[in-house]
Amino acid sequence: MKYIFAIILVVLNIVNIPLSMLYMAVQKWYLPMWKKDKVIYFAFAPFYWILVGLTFIFGYPCEKIGGLVH
């Protein structure tokens, strides 16, 4: 069973790692927009929150399965 979880973990991390890196880059750009330009901040908000949701959807199972594999 441990091997199956390891394979699932590898597959999830193929998506999770680039997605998390994209999330960190977007967050670094997006959050300062609150002070710089509120129009861009609110226009980009739906895309940012979709990215947050996707990062959580792929990241949370990776954390839980990673605990089962070790």
Side-chain angles (χ1 to χ4, degrees):
M1 196 67 173
K2 211 174 198 184
Y3 297 111
I4 294 171
F5 284 140
I7 292 170
I8 293 170
L9 184 64
V10 168
V11 170
L12 282 175
N13 274 322
I14 288 172
V15 176
N16 184 39
I17 292 172
L19 187 63
S20 295
M21 293 176 71
L22 175 66
Y23 168 70
M24 288 187 291
V26 169
Q27 184 181 30
K28 190 175 185 181
W29 170 81
Y30 175 71
L31 292 179
M33 284 297 149
W34 177 254
K35 293 182 181 176
K36 293 179 184 177
D37 190 359
K38 296 227 192 284
V39 174
I40 291 177
Y41 182 84
F42 287 113
F44 195 72
F47 303 110
Y48 175 74
W49 287 107
I50 289 171
L51 186 60
V52 169
L54 287 173
T55 304
F56 178 76
I57 288 170
F58 285 101
Y60 186 75
C62 286
E63 293 292 326
K64 292 298 178 184
I65 292 174
L68 294 174
V69 171
H70 286 117

